[in-house]
Amino acid sequence: MDTICREYIKQTQMLFPIIRKKERIYLKSLYNDLIEYCDINKISNLQELFHEYGSPAQIVQEYLLSLNEADLKNCLKGFGIYVVLLFQQYL
């Protein structure tokens, strides 16, 4: 069960535009919630968890929608810098 939750968190983490301290705290809390949810509901595979708890994309979308405007700007500003630097490597 722990393996299923770790994989879910791994897939969710990959979808975040940037991982700051706030996102790490959120992911840790999500992981703890998932462990409890999986224990209570006897989740046995990742697809079951997706169906019952939501997809990683839905989780990230809900997180980003919950941010206030300033936090969202900071998050996306950092992501924009990363994208520019990434593309400069290939030019």
Side-chain angles (χ1 to χ4, degrees), residues 17-61:
I18 191 166
I19 304 290
R20 302 170 298 165
K21 185 176 180 179
K22 285 183 178 185
E23 286 75 24
R24 285 192 301 274
I25 291 169
Y26 175 78
L27 288 168
K28 180 66 176 170
S29 174
L30 178 62
Y31 175 74
N32 292 334
D33 292 345
L34 285 172
I35 292 290
E36 183 178 336
Y37 183 83
C38 288
D39 283 342
I40 291 170
N41 294 295
K42 307 296 184 221
I43 301 295
S44 60
N45 63 52
L46 198 54
Q47 292 299 10
E48 218 178 308
L49 186 58
F50 286 170
H51 179 71
E52 296 293 326
Y53 208 80
S55 72
Q58 290 170 322
I59 298 296
V60 172
Q61 182 181 20

